[in-house]
Amino acid sequence: MDIKEGLSLKKHIILIFVVLISLFICISLGSVPIPFKDTVGILCDLLLGKKPSGMYADILIHVRLPRVLSVMPVGAALSLAGAAMQGIIRNPLADGSTLGTSSGAALGAVIALSLGVWLPSFPFAGTVVFAIIFSFISLIIVMSLAYTVDKLLSNNTIILMGVIFSMFTSSFISLIMAFSGERLRSITFWTMGSLAGSNYNNVLLLLITLIIAGSALMLSARELNAFSLGEDEAMHIGVDVKKTKVIILVSVSFLIGVSVSVGGSIGFVGLIVPHACRLLFGGNHFKLLPSCVYVGAIFLLFMDLIARTLVSPVELPIGVVTSFIGAISFVIIYYRRRKHAGT
Amino acid sequence: MDIKEGLSLKKHIILIFVVLISLFICISLGSVPIPFKDTVGILCDLLLGKKPSGMYADILIHVRLPRVLSVMPVGAALSLAGAAMQGIIRNPLADGSTLGTSSGAALGAVIALSLGVWLPSFPFAGTVVFAIIFSFISLIIVMSLAYTVDKLLSNNTIILMGVIFSMFTSSFISLIMAFSGERLRSITFWTMGSLAGSNYNNVLLLLITLIIAGSALMLSARELNAFSLGEDEAMHIGVDVKKTKVIILVSVSFLIGVSVSVGGSIGFVGLIVPHACRLLFGGNHFKLLPSCVYVGAIFLLFMDLIARTLVSPVELPIGVVTSFIGAISFVIIYYRRRKHAGT
Amino acid sequence: MLELKNINIQYGSKYAVKDVSIKLYSGDWLVLLGANGAGKSSIIKALARAVKYSGEILLEGKNISCFSSRQYAQRVGVLSQLHEKDPSLSVSEVVRLGRYSHGKRLFSGLNKIDIQKVQQAIAVTGLIEYSERPMHTLSGGERQRAYLAQVFAQDTDILLLDEPVNSLDMKYTLSLLKAIDVWRKERRGIVISALHDLSLAACFGSRALILLNGEQLFEGNIKDALYSPHIDMAYDLPVVKTMQDVYSFWEKA
Amino acid sequence: MLELKNINIQYGSKYAVKDVSIKLYSGDWLVLLGANGAGKSSIIKALARAVKYSGEILLEGKNISCFSSRQYAQRVGVLSQLHEKDPSLSVSEVVRLGRYSHGKRLFSGLNKIDIQKVQQAIAVTGLIEYSERPMHTLSGGERQRAYLAQVFAQDTDILLLDEPVNSLDMKYTLSLLKAIDVWRKERRGIVISALHDLSLAACFGSRALILLNGEQLFEGNIKDALYSPHIDMAYDLPVVKTMQDVYSFWEKA
Amino acid sequence: KLTDFEGREVTLSKPAERIIALMPGDCEILYALGAGDKLIGRGEYCNYPEEVLSVEAVKSGAEMNLEQVIELKPDLIIATKMAHTKESIEALDKAGIPSLVTDAQNIEGVYKAIDLIGAACGKNEEAAKLIDDMKAGFEEVVKKVGEKSFGTVYFEVSPLQYGLWASGGGSFMDEIGNMLGLENVFASEGAWAQVSEEQVIAKNPDVIVTTTMYFGEGPTPIEEILSRKGWENIKAIENGDVYNADNDTITRPGPRLVDAINDFYNFLYEEEAADKAA
Ligand SMILES: Nc1ncnc2c1ncn2[C@@H]1O[C@H](COP(=O)(O)OP(=O)(O)OP(=O)(O)O)[C@@H](O)[C@H]1O
Ligand SMILES: Nc1ncnc2c1ncn2[C@@H]1O[C@H](COP(=O)(O)OP(=O)(O)OP(=O)(O)O)[C@@H](O)[C@H]1O
Ligand SMILES: [Mg+2]
Ligand SMILES: [Mg+2]
């Protein structure tokens, strides 16, 4: 019997390798073709601390690189959050947005857009800051609502309160859109999800969140495993059920809030990547959570690549590409696995 | 022990009475105030087969009455479909849209809107016909997909395929919206749900669907009860599990497809009304299904009334009002019941 | 009347039941004996049409796959070993569901006979006071009795009972097994049950099928089975000796 | 060492346990006796801190509500009567979880001792071959053994076992009860179990608490309990006579 | 008897006297025809000329408040394809209120709309004159531009923050650009297209036009574009040729398109001349 329950070192190495390869592919391809030689040259210059110049360097350094670097943690965060939510409330329909923070963040962003909030020292930061603040407020509202109606914080209560809250905020969003007049278009575009215009500040924010909240979740893998036996059983083996729930729900909200604030509402990833990982790597959260990070990152990188390049120069909304390709590939995985299982 | 398991006759009568009262209130109020006397006069004339005329008659007969008469069956249909779905796949997050037909219908409508389809000779205009056709195609796709990957049509498979399919179609909708240019606004508004402009043909269509598909569901109440013991147990007592699933899923799709085609995507009702009814009338489907019909109709009638009159002459999107008021009232019911249950 | 011919049951590539054949007649009470994982539940599930199997099972000479769900449920009642943890129905709702296959299809429509059978089943299982309680508020044994009441209400000629006395107290263990015994003799029905308590098997069973790793070790009269060397093989224990030890306490009284 | 003082347990307005008091010392094996719904599981749940109760429960003189979840789980292992139908973990994952309260918090980190305890628990329950199987593919008895293995791996001084032998075959019923018995005597731990099989209770228990509708009818030595008139009252049966009848089959052998 | 943009035949017994116009473009046409006084209801986004704001606003689109419309007792409704639903038009027909649907996609379409609206309210001559005026206005600009060319242009309709959306071929902007001797870098795309930032940098347009409205917070749209990272080397940025067009005039199918083209012309060529002079 192994001492470690997680992914084998070999799998870790392979997956990291695939992430790096994907990253490189996504940097070198784009709607403007940059010769491979130039790409490598510019990247080397960057690594060596030189300042490359020219149109290719402009595109690569200011447009493509920050975008690709934001896409990666967003994909990881959404998938990880989805896996944790599905684990803790034991419901295959759950994902990060079940808690209501996703639509809370969207509401914040939409309010910022419609008021034209502007924070002078942060370029473009209005939406991001508002989204994060609102995702927080949402979490607090949902949790205290759930706690008020049900001191035990049972799953059914959390689910229902989360869903109700997200419907509530979505209706706020619709209302704002209905009265937004001239700004309707930008709001609509924003809600479709877009990672265009990400900058290095966003990348930093995403990475910090992913590291902190991601670690909190990874460290809760045993607890998540315990929950799959039922909450009472988890308590019997020593899990502090309420505390664990709060830690996990707060981490999930962080991940979701920040991702939404940067990338808009990108659906589907958080629901489907965990299911796919469960089919591929099993339901043990020691394996599931890390694999979600890798697979989520890889998946969204390629989806973004397709969004950027498929009908170049036009860009497709990333949510659209994600659902499209994600749906098809998930059905294939599901089909193969069921056939394989022989049932 | 009672022979009948359903709602008592008294409750039926009370609920029908409440529906009729609500109907009358909703007819007599509106963004244009019509004196009570005129309302009654016009309604009497109508019932007596006379043709009332005048501006009030125009408003009442051509605008308000068809609208109110469509709202009622839409509310009933959405709630009923939600209750049936939650029963059959035993998941509190499920509602009529889980199956994917809702977004399929929406896709059809959006395509019709964006192509500007106009079928002059048809009794029902382009969007309705397209929505119905698409909801059908969606049902067929989802079911055959589910059947292909899993001959047993297990719940998990149906849920996942439904969700994936609806993400898939939603992304199509986004795509169309992205390329719709000037029509963006009308599509956005349509997706928020509206029953303005309903005509008597719509009413007829809705009522026929509600009667046929609703009866199919009502007649499956015992099967739905049986499912709550688990699928194997249901089989053991003689339920033909697959056939029942197909009947229920098809009826639900019908209800949802037609409702969406007439009223747009009105969220929340199908999720929350069944939960509220379960809290109020218990989980036995003999009670749950009829109470959902009544409560759904009453609920949506009043929501529509508020949408029409609150900030008159501007109309609020009904989806917004529904989520708002629905969320608040549901939390209250939930809180009361939990307190009452003493746990 | 009920015949199993060369039944094999496979989960993935693993055989849970290998080549089991047996013929049962009216009035038989077959006890399935064997250690955990021997294949008892699998055989019951095959008879209940809840798993795939190879081979043939004939009921009244007809392959059981020819019956519709409803027809089959009118003939065969099934009690499973594992149940959902949180059924949301009340006890009487659960028991009423037992009448499903007999009911007219419209609405709740239970007729006089249905009501009578339901009430009888609730009374036999001692659940009269509990009949309006939701299932998830019952204790383990009360729950098990509710599921048994459902099967009794189903009023079939054949009962498939997978560990029916799990969680039951002594009183109901004996009274319910006795009731089944009386019923089977009067109505000349067939009972097939898995039982781990060999004393009970001896008291109530008429025939036995001993399984070892899915293979049929022995088939015949229950007395012969319990005194045969096969039973020791099946449980990997000197059975009679062990039972006598366990029982010695009561002798002294 | 473990003391229950005037415990009352209520569900809604209904009392499931009324004014139960008992004091347990190292090396005791308390058997909870009583009919279905007598309140056995409720007492175990109260000890496991899974239901609200009034009164006081003291462990090592400290109120049990003072312990953190982890501390408590290091001292008390619990086997519930009802389980989820479809846990998605494998047997070894379930058993490893038993070490949760002992583990360092980082990642999977099981140390040598943990691994050893886990392997031992799997071996005792005879699940070595099954250790990588997902729980939902196990037979009823195999599952029950896996849950038992989890509790054993938890390696606590106090075991709360609600009907531990449900679904177990004869061999494992005896060998596991025996193992627990040896452990309790060696380690001087406390075992509290609900058992419906009075012969087993007689063989393994040291003390008994007889419950009737939640009320404490009798508390004392197990032998006295089984020969007392209280037991007849609790089960509404002439217990000794009944047991002799049931076991008479083996006498003749 | 009129035939509208959807081929529906609408019969008016007499010129309309009480008109509801839902789209800003149609309102502007009505006022330009001197029929502003006949307007008794307007779409909520109609904001030009000033007087229109005093007319009662009617919710349009799927949210059109039919009760309110009927209460206003109009004898004609002018809507565009995107401002109405089939259902509401049918309901209005039943209540005896005729409706005209306009749907101008290009300048030629605007002429047609003017013609139609003029006919509907009995201002046929004014309509013909308005059309002639507009044609003359455009021709004048085209003549002034002559063979001059300013190179390539990029029309931005949504700023980077919400995803970059450009206006391609088939839009009024594109048409106006062509008249001014500009080549739209995204001419091959539809009227609305989300484009990649990379593309803009690579296409290196000579002029950038943004229609983003300035609401008074933060940097102006022009400043924002000038400050974008990685855009420094685009010719338009280097030369400061970034133009903030008035969204209303340049996107509405109405008579003010002439103003739009003149403003734009002034930005391109007059300032140029002024620069050179200085
Ligand atoms: N779904 C499944 N997938 C794989 N193997 C299974 C599955 N169900 C049962 N098995 C295996 O098949 C064998 C027989 O199982 P079965 O449930 O018939 O045993 P049983 O005799 O009823 O045991 P018990 O006394 O424990 O109830 C066991 O070894 C079990 O592990
Ligand atoms: N959640 C609940 N709500 C209401 N009543 C309950 C609940 N749980 C148990 N009860 C009732 O409390 C009483 C004691 O239940 P408990 O589970 O303790 O019985 P038990 O002695 O373990 O019985 P068994 O032998 O059947 O397991 C029973 O009558 C039961 O119906
Ligand atoms: Mg079994
Ligand atoms: Mg119990």
Side-chain angles (χ1 to χ4, degrees), chain B residues 31-32 55 58-59 62-64 117-118 125 127 178 181-183 185-186 189 194 196-197 199 313-314, chain E residues 8 45 57 59 62-68 70-71 73 81-82 86-88 90-91 94-95 103 165 192:
Chain B
S31 75
V32 174
M55 187 186 82
D58 276 348
I59 291 181
H62 295 301
V63 179
R64 208 178 282 171
V117 174
W118 174 274
T127 41
E182 291 295 336
R183 289 184 204 272
R185 192 181 296 272
S186 56
F189 280 122
S194 164
N199 54 35
V314 172
Chain E
R8 292 161 62 253
Y45 300 115
K59 263 290 205 173
E63 306 299 306
M64 175 168 4
N65 188 336
L66 292 174
E67 297 191 4
Q68 188 196 5
I70 293 176
E71 197 190 19
K73 298 202 188 103
K81 258 188 176 168
M82 66 183 259
K86 325 291 168 194
E87 288 81 4
S88 52
E90 269 174 14
K94 289 226 177 78
D103 185 23
W165 288 74
W192 303 99

Side-chain angles (χ1 to χ4, degrees), chain B residues 343, chain C residues 130 133-134 136-145 167-169, chain D residues 9-12 14-17 32-45 51 81 162-163 194 196 211 213-214:
Chain B
T343 43
Chain C
Y130 299 85
R133 288 259 297 272
H136 68 266
T137 67
L138 298 186
S139 79
E142 289 158 0
R143 240 180 249 213
Q144 178 78 357
R145 271 147 52 192
S167 276
L168 292 191
D169 65 18
Chain D
I9 301 172
Q10 247 180 313
Y11 298 108
K14 192 193 162 226
Y15 278 88
V17 170
L32 300 174
L33 296 175
N36 292 144
K40 305 179 293 296
S41 299
S42 301
I43 290 183
I44 287 179
K45 281 186 200 156
V51 286
Q81 188 174 6
D162 201 349
E163 312 203 1
H196 281 298
L211 293 164
N213 296 326

Side-chain angles (χ1 to χ4, degrees), chain A residues 343, chain C residues 9-12 14-17 32-45 51 81 162-163 194 196 211 213-214, chain D residues 130 133-145 167-169:
Chain A
T343 44
Chain C
I9 301 171
Q10 249 178 310
Y11 298 107
K14 192 193 161 225
Y15 277 87
V17 170
L32 300 174
L33 298 173
N36 292 142
K40 305 180 291 297
S41 299
S42 301
I43 288 183
I44 287 180
K45 281 185 200 155
V51 288
Q81 188 173 6
D162 202 348
E163 311 203 359
H196 282 299
L211 293 165
N213 296 327
Chain D
Y130 299 85
R133 286 261 295 272
M135 286 290 279
H136 68 264
T137 67
L138 298 186
S139 79
E142 289 158 359
R143 243 180 244 209
Q144 178 78 356
R145 272 147 53 191
S167 277
L168 293 191
D169 63 22

Side-chain angles (χ1 to χ4, degrees), chain C:
Chain C
M1 215 181 143
L2 182 62
E3 190 177 0
L4 284 78
K5 281 188 186 164
N6 307 101
I7 300 303
N8 287 287
I9 301 171
Q10 249 178 310
Y11 298 107
S13 61
K14 192 193 161 225
Y15 277 87
V17 170
K18 284 172 227 153
D19 201 27
V20 167
S21 302
I22 188 170
K23 211 164 178 166
L24 297 169
Y25 303 94
S26 295
D28 278 347
W29 183 324
L30 177 73
V31 181
L32 300 174
L33 298 173
N36 292 142
K40 305 180 291 297
S41 299
S42 301
I43 288 183
I44 287 180
K45 281 185 200 155
L47 282 163
R49 311 199 301 186
V51 288
K52 273 196 199 145
Y53 56 86
S54 68
E56 252 188 318
I57 304 182
L58 303 176
L59 171 63
E60 298 159 5
K62 261 169 71 182
N63 195 310
I64 56 169
S65 58
C66 302
F67 294 86
S68 74
S69 309
R70 194 172 283 268
Q71 287 171 335
Y72 200 67
Q74 284 172 4
R75 288 170 177 76
V76 180
V78 184
L79 177 81
S80 313
Q81 188 173 6
L82 298 166
H83 292 277
E84 297 289 324
K85 203 177 170 191
D86 280 321
S88 57
L89 299 177
S90 74
V91 173
S92 81
E93 283 163 359
V94 168
V95 181
R96 277 154 189 257
L97 279 175
R99 299 303 298 169
Y100 177 85
S101 57
H102 301 271
K104 302 179 304 293
R105 303 247 16 219
L106 289 181
F107 302 102
S108 56
L110 293 191
N111 62 19
K112 284 262 164 60
I113 302 177
D114 292 330
I115 296 286
Q116 188 204 328
K117 296 276 174 198
V118 166
Q119 280 173 332
Q120 215 171 305
I122 289 180
V124 163
T125 49
L127 291 172
I128 296 178
E129 296 165 51
Y130 299 85
S131 66
E132 296 312 318
R133 288 259 297 272
M135 287 290 281
H136 68 266
T137 67
L138 298 186
S139 79
E142 289 158 0
R143 240 180 249 213
Q144 178 78 357
R145 271 147 52 192
Y147 288 118
L148 270 168
Q150 187 189 63
V151 178
F152 292 159
Q154 205 170 327
D155 190 36
T156 54
D157 287 335
I158 298 176
L159 290 182
L160 307 175
L161 307 174
D162 202 348
E163 311 203 359
V165 299
N166 253 357
S167 276
L168 292 191
D169 65 18
M170 216 191 337
K171 179 179 158 197
Y172 281 103
T173 300
L174 292 172
S175 72
L176 292 180
L177 288 178
K178 191 154 293 162
I180 296 169
D181 200 40
V182 170
W183 165 88
R184 126 180 109 100
K185 284 175 182 154
E186 274 176 7
R187 171 146 173 182
R188 310 217 37 78
I190 297 177
V191 181
I192 300 177
S193 68
L195 280 176
H196 282 299
D197 187 325
L198 297 185
S199 312
L200 295 176
C203 289
F204 296 100
S206 69
R207 299 174 60 188
L209 175 65
I210 303 180
L211 293 165
L212 178 59
N213 296 327
E215 270 170 281
Q216 179 171 358
L217 266 192
F218 174 96
E219 184 268 301
N221 185 282
I222 186 102
K223 303 261 146 71
D224 300 342
L226 295 177
Y227 294 142
S228 77
H230 296 112
I231 192 89
D232 294 359
M233 281 169 65
Y235 287 107
D236 193 17
L237 271 182
V239 168
V240 173
K241 169 81 178 47
T242 313
M243 292 306 281
Q244 284 172 347
D245 285 354
V246 168
Y247 162 68
S248 60
F249 179 85
W250 304 104
E251 250 176 324
K252 292 173 217 147

